Each structure stands twice: as C-alpha cells, then as structure tokens.
Amino acid sequence: LPAFEKAYRLHADFVEFDVRPSSQGTYFLLHDGRLDRTTNGRGPIREASDEAIGALDAGGWFGAPFKDLRVPRLDAFLGSVPAGVSLYFDAKDIAPEALVASLAKQGLIERTVVYQSAEYLARLKQIDARIRRMPPASSTADVDRVAESLRPYAVDTRWNALSKAYIDHCHAAGIQVFADAPFFVDVKGYQRAIEWGIDV
C-alpha cells in the first residue's frame, strides 16, 4: 500500500495492480501466482488461507522500513483510492462477476480500465458495459479484430510493437494505446513513444 500512497502523492493518473484469490476466494493484490518472490510465504496463493496470507511479511524483501507490511486485500485497497486517480486493473485471476461487484461497491466502475483477454473482456462487457476494456494487441490486425466486437477503451501493446503508424491506426478507431515499458527502455525510447502519440 505505501507504493500506491506514494503514487497518489506524485499525482499519478493511474495506478496498476494485479489480483488473485486465496483458497477461500478472498481477493488479494499480488502479481505472481506464488507467494515466494514478494512475501515470506511459499506456494501458490490459491492454496493459502486468508489467515495464512494475512500473517505474511510482504514488504521486508523490498527494504527494512517495509518489513511486516501485509498483502493488501482488494476491498481494502479499493476503499482507500482517493478521488482523481484512475485504476489499471490487471485481472490476473478473478471472475468477471466478482470484479464488477468489487468496483461497484466502491463506486469505481467508471474510473477503471481492465486488462485481460478479449474473451474475458467480452464477458465483462455483458455484465457492465461501463467498465473500460483493454485487451492485448500487437498489430493493426489485432486492433481491427477487437475494435468492432469489443469496442475497447484501449489496447495494451508490447513496447517493441509500437510505431507511429500503429498508434495512429488505434487513434483513428477511437482506441487509446497503453504500453508497459520494460526496464531496458531509455529516456530516448520514452520520448520517441510520446512523440508518436502514445496515451499511457
């Protein structure tokens, strides 16, 4: 949670997070399917109880000041999001129905962009079409395939698939372009993508 709080202080437009369930079906914020890398736990999160996950140290690996921070529960996180911040929801392992219910409970439906497969997002659209949908795409052909049926808000594109022509094609279809920049991208790489018109 301190990472999100810092993002809010820095006036980030979006915060991105990943969601996975415990063995009891409670949703937690965790990137990996296993607990090993970012907590002092072991094994798949899907096999761990709420109580076991709640007792884990999820901050010590990052630095001593963060020791004993817990894995955030989805509901607690959503309840803490301040006004003016949009959510980039990576629906790693959560049923569309549960996702919609969690967002609706906190009044965050229209402030959220959900990343998942086109098939998952089609189910989400049937439940609540207000949620902004973002499938993966790596070519203009991919964009064309999802544009009509899914009407996505944005597409998530691999960094090495970006080009000005690709971004222009998306914008002509009314679709924004998001890309997760890998660690090897330098300042010139960011500047070039901005000049091409990338949205996020």
Side-chain angles (χ1 to χ4, degrees):
L1 290 179
F4 294 112
E5 290 160 6
K6 182 175 183 179
Y8 306 149
R9 291 197 304 274
L10 295 173
H11 305 289
D13 297 303
F14 279 90
V15 292
E16 187 266 0
F17 57 99
D18 309 82
V19 173
R20 296 183 182 276
S22 70
S23 63
Q24 292 158 267
T26 301
Y27 291 100
F28 288 85
L29 271 57
L30 194 75
H31 178 277
D32 299 358
R34 295 180 63 86
L35 296 162
D36 306 51
R37 183 173 67 89
T38 58
T39 79
N40 61 342
R42 295 288 178 268
I45 185 172
R46 264 188 166 274
E47 296 177 6
S49 68
D50 294 356
E51 183 180 12
I53 296 167
L56 296 175
D57 171 8
W61 67 276
F62 190 77
F66 305 101
K67 183 173 170 53
D68 294 327
L69 288 174
R70 304 306 177 198
V71 181
R73 291 185 182 224
L74 175 61
D75 284 346
F77 163 67
L78 293 178
S80 71
V81 178
V85 178
S86 292
L87 302 177
Y88 177 151
F89 195 135
D90 188 339
K92 280 279 197 306
D93 189 0
I94 180 172
E97 296 80 5
L99 185 153
V100 172
S102 294
L103 293 175
K105 180 179 176 183
Q106 301 295 340
L108 293 169
I109 292 277
E110 295 178 77
R111 285 169 54 190
T112 303
V113 175
V114 177
Y115 170 73
Q116 242 286 1
S117 68
E119 294 76 18
Y120 180 99
L121 296 174
R123 291 169 56 201
L124 198 62
K125 182 183 175 186
Q126 290 179 331
I127 300 167
D128 196 320
R130 294 176 300 161
I131 294 179
R132 296 178 289 179
R133 300 167 295 281
M134 181 169 58
S138 296
S139 67
T140 55
D142 287 347
V143 174
D144 292 343
R145 269 193 293 274
V146 298
E148 187 172 348
S149 62
L150 196 58
R151 298 185 65 185
Y153 171 80
V155 288
D156 182 77
T157 303
R158 287 184 292 104
W159 193 262
N160 59 8
L162 291 173
S163 69
K164 185 176 188 311
Y166 173 87
I167 292 171
D168 287 348
H169 185 87
C170 293
H171 288 172
I175 299 170
Q176 291 195 18
V177 180
F178 286 43
D180 290 339
F183 294 111
F184 59 76
V185 176
D186 60 13
V187 172
K188 288 181 181 178
Y190 284 105
Q191 290 173 333
R192 184 169 58 247
I194 292 167
E195 289 164 6
W196 287 342
I198 195 168
D199 297 287
V200 178

